[in-house]
Amino acid sequence: MGEAVLEVTPRILKKALGHRVEVIAFGIAYQGRLQKIDNSSGTIRITDRKNAAIIEIERIASFRTLRD
């Protein structure tokens, strides 16, 4: 598993695109595949088999990649 980062940069997000990630935002842990980075709205989209979450990048408290 990847080490958790507290400051999410565009480089980190781009490297994680398509991989499983864990994002903590608003005190909630979200796990799934990073499907989309939308720089114009400042959001990311994480999906698992049943659900999807759109999270504002500036609200991310912790971010790490998980094993695929």
Side-chain angles (χ1 to χ4, degrees), residues 39-67:
N39 292 316
S40 63
S41 66
T43 60
I44 60 172
R45 179 182 172 91
I46 298 173
T47 60
D48 64 13
R49 294 179 184 197
K50 296 181 182 181
N51 301 304
I54 297 174
I55 303 166
E56 293 179 40
I57 296 168
E58 67 181 31
R59 303 292 184 203
I60 297 173
S62 178
F63 180 92
R64 68 181 176 149
T65 57
L66 303 173
R67 291 186 186 151

Side-chain angles (χ1 to χ4, degrees), residues 11-22 32-37 44-47 63-68:
R11 185 178 142 267
I12 290 170
L13 290 175
K14 189 173 182 178
K15 187 175 178 182
L17 191 61
H19 295 280
R20 289 188 62 240
V21 297
E22 178 183 73
R33 197 159 301 276
L34 179 57
Q35 292 290 317
K36 182 177 180 182
I37 304 165
I44 60 172
R45 179 182 172 91
I46 298 173
T47 60
F63 180 92
R64 68 181 176 149
T65 57
L66 303 173
R67 291 186 186 151
D68 282 326

